[in-house]
Amino acid sequence: SGQASDDPGLHAADDRQREIYLSRYKPSDYDFSRTSQDPYFARQVAIRLEEVRRCYRGGVALDLCCGAGHYALPLAQHVERIIGIDFSPEMIEAARKRAAEQGCGNVVFCVANARHLPLESASAALVYSFAALYTIPAVEEVVAEVARVLQPGGVAILEFGALYSLNTLVCRATPGIAGPCHLPLPQIMGILRRCGLGVERDRSFQLLPLWGNRPWWLRPLLHPGWKWLMSREIAGRMLDERLSSLPLVRHFAFRHMIICRKPG
């Protein structure tokens, strides 16, 4: 599972994704100060940070596809050491600058390919990746690398995008974004199993798209008011998560934050 694919079509798709991201994936476009003003996505960020803090038990944490350090830096005070990896030199430069400004000496950022992580086997106690894996072709190679660098008993918190979701329709109808690499939920679970990771929990979100304005026939469900409603909490969990986790609908929720463990 960890070997790079020899499929030329896959490499071409990967190159197209990279070209789009290098032109559009800018630190200025991922400003968490703006995100914090959106009740739904601000709550999503908080949930991700809470989950990492809950699962961390010491050692090195790997922030996979770390961007400009938006998760690594808030976690620095809770983690012994964090290694952030991203393919974008511009994002890594921004992350290093922010880490220096905030005095985060236990966080290291480097440019690398998620399919070929520059870490020794069994060197990370925890790996997390948010809002990134559903843009990567041949994601099984990435998951295999995650399993390789995890210590026995280590935890991975990996966020995937489900294919059979309204969000997939919005992505396909939106020009100028990288092609979605969403997968059916059973296929996602199969990838984790083949790579030797045992699933402990699947936290499901985003039953509605909650962004965009296409296709036209979905516009009643694209109104921003839905984000406010779905961000409301019921017994400590967002309404969105409550609805998205129902057995009959979870396969149609887009965002799956899966907490898994490497046996050991």
Side-chain angles (χ1 to χ4, degrees), residues 32 68-71 73-74 93-104:
F32 269 35
H70 296 301
Y71 291 99
L73 298 179
E93 181 181 355
R96 288 171 176 165
K97 181 179 179 181
R98 293 180 65 215
E101 290 172 349
Q102 298 179 26
C104 297

Side-chain angles (χ1 to χ4, degrees), residues 73-136:
L73 298 179
L75 289 167
Q77 60 182 314
H78 304 281
V79 177
E80 294 174 21
R81 185 169 184 242
I82 300 178
I83 300 174
I85 287 176
D86 200 277
F87 80 100
S88 166
E90 189 172 358
M91 283 292 195
I92 291 299
E93 181 181 355
R96 288 171 176 165
K97 181 179 179 181
R98 293 180 65 215
E101 290 172 349
Q102 298 179 26
C104 297
N106 61 331
V107 184
V108 176
F109 295 102
C110 61
V111 178
N113 188 328
R115 296 198 187 99
H116 305 284
L117 296 175
L119 277 74
E120 295 182 1
S121 298
S123 59
L126 183 145
V127 179
Y128 62 88
S129 182
F130 302 125
L133 296 182
Y134 47 74
T135 66
I136 301 177

Side-chain angles (χ1 to χ4, degrees), residues 220-241:
L221 297 179
L222 299 174
H223 189 279
W226 286 110
K227 287 193 289 186
W228 179 88
L229 179 62
M230 288 297 186
S231 67
R232 301 301 90 190
E233 288 196 1
I234 298 176
R237 296 225 166 178
M238 283 201 304
L239 175 62
D240 181 36
E241 184 175 6

Side-chain angles (χ1 to χ4, degrees), residues 201-236:
R201 282 179 291 138
D202 172 14
R203 299 188 64 176
S204 307
F205 301 88
Q206 212 166 326
L207 187 60
L208 300 180
L210 303 177
W211 71 284
N213 58 10
R214 304 180 187 205
W216 66 266
W217 52 269
L218 265 182
R219 284 180 185 170
L221 297 179
L222 299 174
H223 189 279
W226 286 110
K227 287 193 289 186
W228 179 88
L229 179 62
M230 288 297 186
S231 67
R232 301 301 90 190
E233 288 196 1
I234 298 176

